[in-house]
Amino acid sequence: MKNFSELIKNFDKIRDYMRDFFVYGFKSRSNFTQKSLRTYDNEKRRIESYLGDCIKYNNMNGEKNTFISLDSSSVTENPLYSVWKAKSFTNNDIMLHFYLLDILTYESLLDIEQLSDKICERYSTCFDTQTVRNKVKESVKEGILNSCKQGRKLYYSLSRDFLKTLVNNYDDIIDALKYYQAIAPFGVIGSYILDNEENKNDIFHFKHHFVVHTLEDKVLLEILKAINEKREINFINKSPRSEYILKVSGVPLKIFVSNQTGRRYVNIYNKKRKRFVNYRLDYIKSVNILDICIEYDFFKQKLEKNLDKCWGVSFGNSIRGKTFYAKFYVDEERELYILDRIKKEGRKGTLKKVDKNIYIYSKEIFDTNEIMSWIKSFTGRIISIESGDKFVDERFYSDMKKMKEMYLGGDTD
């Protein structure tokens, strides 16, 4: 039987389990049917090793449920970064890494043959020249080693580009990294640098710290590459709830981030359907970058023209461009802050006074259902709404009647 290892080869596999435990949570061993029970046990053990005290358990219906629980406002560093820092390696790979560092710490400007000979002499372990060359090229690419050409040969030395020697304002850079590693896409890069500098974030705490974003960063990187190069992509979109799998092709144009939920979406122009669609990054798997899209700039301009009509991430159905109206009663003497709030949060909608204390808010929206959560936050001041969508209107008035019955009882008319 193969021995268990904390290190991982396939990030996508651990990403799925980590997301299930953190986002959806409260699943037992029997709930995971996509892989064998041994695979589940191994992945759970890895996550327990990475996250320690963040792993919680409870018993439900005789089964032990595992979930990740943490107070994001008290976390100074994203605990999910540990997944990125657990990549597997071969014995030869790790030995060569440290052999090269050890030799080049005391000697510099050695070619491949010299490095191979010194490894064999010093450590009584011989590698063929091509293996050493591949490892050295990888180390140069990662900035660990430097190379310089003398004549027809390449000579290698240990990189001296340490952070303290690269910048004059070292302390300021460290403070910036403490902020960056928590709030930026690919924040794990900042975490790596802080680890290398033997430093930790001891300054910043965040009320809304979306730690799960790091599990999407691999997907995000591929999408951003495609956007930067104006290329089309295809990918697998899989809902973890319905298990429905959809193959998607299109032109990636923009990344959207919800300020309320923290969810991130990629906006795709579907050329076959001739419309814009947003897909959640945490549902996306297996991104493939395709050919350059000749019409990319045209689609991007078209998207920008449509954004004002999006309340959230939906571009609506076939019936689009409906104008939403909401009539409010606002006490002009005591509740001017309500008017200020509507103007501030109304996303370029129009607020018009039609009578004393009576105002109408209007905005053209693709999907009027998305605005309803915000509109309902003014309950008690809403006189009427007209969404242009019969279903949305009827559901709103039905909800109001149910709420009146719940709190006041009696007749709901």
Side-chain angles (χ1 to χ4, degrees), residues 116-144:
S116 300
D117 291 342
K118 287 186 178 294
I119 290 171
C120 192
E121 292 170 8
R122 187 173 299 183
Y123 307 107
S124 301
T125 304
C126 297
F127 296 91
D128 65 83
T129 305
Q130 188 58 43
T131 300
V132 177
R133 179 177 284 107
N134 290 340
K135 184 61 182 176
V136 167
K137 286 176 66 177
E138 178 186 314
S139 298
V140 170
K141 184 178 179 181
E142 293 180 354
I144 299 171

Side-chain angles (χ1 to χ4, degrees), residues 96-110 115 118 122-123 144-146 156-160 162:
L96 264 178
H97 174 79
F98 287 107
Y99 289 165
L100 291 170
L101 292 183
D102 187 37
I103 290 171
L104 292 174
T105 297
Y106 303 100
E107 301 181 62
S108 62
L109 295 180
L110 300 177
L115 285 170
K118 287 186 178 294
R122 187 173 299 183
Y123 307 107
I144 299 171
L145 302 181
N146 290 329
Y156 301 93
S157 61
L158 194 62
S159 174
R160 302 295 176 183
F162 301 113

Side-chain angles (χ1 to χ4, degrees), residues 12 25 29 69 83 120 136 141 150 160 164 181 192 231 303 337 342 361 384 387 404 407:
D12 291 333
R29 191 170 186 253
S69 177
V83 180
C120 192
V136 167
K141 184 178 179 181
Q150 295 182 4
R160 302 295 176 183
K164 284 186 177 179
Q181 59 87 27
Y192 271 120
R231 293 180 179 272
L303 171 65
Y337 66 93
I342 295 173
Y361 167 84
S384 64
S387 69
K404 181 180 178 182
Y407 287 98

Side-chain angles (χ1 to χ4, degrees), residues 82-295:
S82 57
V83 180
W84 290 105
K85 301 174 183 179
K87 182 181 179 181
S88 65
F89 46 79
T90 64
N91 290 338
N92 285 346
D93 190 51
I94 196 66
M95 283 194 297
L96 264 178
H97 174 79
F98 287 107
Y99 289 165
L100 291 170
L101 292 183
D102 187 37
I103 290 171
L104 292 174
T105 297
Y106 303 100
E107 301 181 62
S108 62
L109 295 180
L110 300 177
D111 63 24
I112 294 297
E113 287 75 15
Q114 291 171 323
L115 285 170
S116 300
D117 291 342
K118 287 186 178 294
I119 290 171
C120 192
E121 292 170 8
R122 187 173 299 183
Y123 307 107
S124 301
T125 304
C126 297
F127 296 91
D128 65 83
T129 305
Q130 188 58 43
T131 300
V132 177
R133 179 177 284 107
N134 290 340
K135 184 61 182 176
V136 167
K137 286 176 66 177
E138 178 186 314
S139 298
V140 170
K141 184 178 179 181
E142 293 180 354
I144 299 171
L145 302 181
N146 290 329
S147 65
C148 67
K149 194 168 187 179
Q150 295 182 4
R152 299 179 64 182
K153 284 189 175 183
L154 282 173
Y155 291 84
Y156 301 93
S157 61
L158 194 62
S159 174
R160 302 295 176 183
D161 290 338
F162 301 113
L163 186 59
K164 284 186 177 179
T165 64
L166 288 174
V167 297
N168 296 323
N169 53 340
Y170 175 78
D171 291 336
D172 293 338
I173 294 295
I174 290 296
D175 288 347
L177 286 169
K178 292 175 181 178
Y179 182 75
Y180 167 84
Q181 59 87 27
I183 58 94
F186 317 111
V188 68
I189 298 172
S191 178
Y192 271 120
I193 298 174
L194 288 176
D195 288 347
N196 191 58
E197 297 300 311
E198 298 183 348
N199 214 312
K200 295 289 183 183
N201 171 31
D202 54 2
I203 300 176
F204 300 103
H205 289 265
F206 300 87
K207 182 178 180 181
H208 301 295
H209 189 179
F210 301 115
V211 296
V212 76
H213 280 177
T214 191
L215 301 181
E216 307 160 7
D217 278 349
K218 183 180 177 183
V219 167
L220 178 62
L221 180 61
E222 294 301 309
I223 294 172
L224 290 178
K225 284 181 182 177
I227 291 175
N228 184 56
E229 297 173 7
K230 300 182 179 181
R231 293 180 179 272
E232 298 184 33
I233 61 172
N234 63 32
F235 57 85
I236 301 297
N237 189 76
K238 181 181 178 182
S239 169
R241 294 180 180 177
S242 66
E243 297 294 326
Y244 179 71
I245 297 176
L246 178 67
K247 294 182 179 179
V248 179
S249 298
V251 184
L253 299 170
K254 202 176 186 72
I255 301 295
F256 294 109
V257 183
S258 170
N259 289 328
Q260 294 174 313
T261 65
R263 288 175 182 158
R264 298 191 292 185
Y265 302 79
V266 57
N267 179 266
I268 297 288
Y269 183 77
N270 189 311
K271 296 170 78 172
K272 290 183 179 180
R273 297 170 60 190
K274 296 183 179 180
R275 62 171 300 168
F276 300 103
V277 187
N278 287 314
Y279 295 93
R280 284 174 56 169
L281 292 191
D282 58 331
Y283 286 7
I284 294 177
K285 302 175 182 291
S286 307
V287 176
N288 297 307
I289 300 177
L290 306 177
D291 297 332
I292 291 175
C293 177
I294 300 175
E295 301 174 286

Side-chain angles (χ1 to χ4, degrees), residues 11-133:
F11 178 80
D12 291 333
K13 184 189 295 184
I14 195 72
R15 173 202 181 201
D16 290 342
Y17 281 94
M18 190 80 80
R19 185 180 60 200
D20 277 330
F21 288 144
F22 182 79
V23 180
Y24 305 107
F26 300 98
K27 288 188 175 182
S28 66
R29 191 170 186 253
S30 62
N31 293 137
F32 289 86
T33 57
Q34 63 270 36
K35 296 289 183 179
S36 69
L37 293 180
R38 181 183 295 174
T39 300
Y40 165 82
D41 289 337
N42 286 340
E43 300 306 328
K44 184 170 76 72
R45 287 171 65 187
R46 287 191 181 98
I47 293 172
E48 288 171 336
S49 175
Y50 299 154
L51 301 184
D53 294 337
C54 296
I55 297 291
K56 307 294 181 184
Y57 309 92
N58 71 0
N59 289 300
M60 187 179 297
N61 299 324
E63 291 189 299
K64 185 178 182 180
N65 294 287
T66 306
F67 58 98
I68 299 173
S69 177
L70 57 93
D71 179 2
S72 60
S73 64
S74 66
V75 172
T76 57
E77 182 181 70
N78 189 339
L80 304 189
Y81 286 160
S82 57
V83 180
W84 290 105
K85 301 174 183 179
K87 182 181 179 181
S88 65
F89 46 79
T90 64
N91 290 338
N92 285 346
D93 190 51
I94 196 66
M95 283 194 297
L96 264 178
H97 174 79
F98 287 107
Y99 289 165
L100 291 170
L101 292 183
D102 187 37
I103 290 171
L104 292 174
T105 297
Y106 303 100
E107 301 181 62
S108 62
L109 295 180
L110 300 177
D111 63 24
I112 294 297
E113 287 75 15
Q114 291 171 323
L115 285 170
S116 300
D117 291 342
K118 287 186 178 294
I119 290 171
C120 192
E121 292 170 8
R122 187 173 299 183
Y123 307 107
S124 301
T125 304
C126 297
F127 296 91
D128 65 83
T129 305
Q130 188 58 43
T131 300
V132 177
R133 179 177 284 107

